[in-house]
Amino acid sequence: MIEVEIEGVDWTDAVDDVEAVVERAAVAALADRVGGIVVLLTGDEAVRELNARFRDKDRPTNVLSFPAAPMPGVDPVPLGDIVLAYGVCAGEAQAQGKRLEDHLTHLVVHGVLHLLGRDHEIEAEAEAMEAEERVILARLGVSDPYTLPHDG
């Protein structure tokens, strides 16, 4: 089960059928795995507050993932929450010459993979996670997010 919550109109004004974009990306990243995910599309200030509270980083970031605590007997098993900051994401997409829809798709996939236990703190993990993202995104028709358009 994937639940999309939207705070404010920035996301809905900028991305056509943003809920469908998020759901499609999350389903693709989950593949055959089952689990509940809540995706919150919000603004920079809300993400800054969460980042400060839970990561001691007093600044907004593009995406945060919060794995759920184990809950025996709950079906579907909750995997966790993903929170995305509109201003940061839109700014990154523009700076990188990407469509916001494609960048959002990438960040949702990235967040879901974190909920599934992937990480990128060490280089080998980062390379494996990026490779998995590329495969998922290619199936969704999204270009390699780690190659900028001018890298050709």
Side-chain angles (χ1 to χ4, degrees), residues 31-52:
D32 294 328
R33 298 171 206 92
V34 176
I37 297 173
V38 175
V39 180
L40 173 62
L41 302 176
T42 189
D44 291 4
E45 182 57 23
V47 172
R48 183 201 63 76
E49 289 174 9
L50 291 168
N51 206 19

Side-chain angles (χ1 to χ4, degrees), residues 44-61 64 66:
D44 291 4
E45 182 57 23
V47 172
R48 183 201 63 76
E49 289 174 9
L50 291 168
N51 206 19
R53 180 175 175 196
F54 293 103
R55 298 180 66 224
D56 292 323
K57 297 181 179 186
D58 193 12
R59 62 181 184 274
T61 188
L64 292 171
F66 297 98

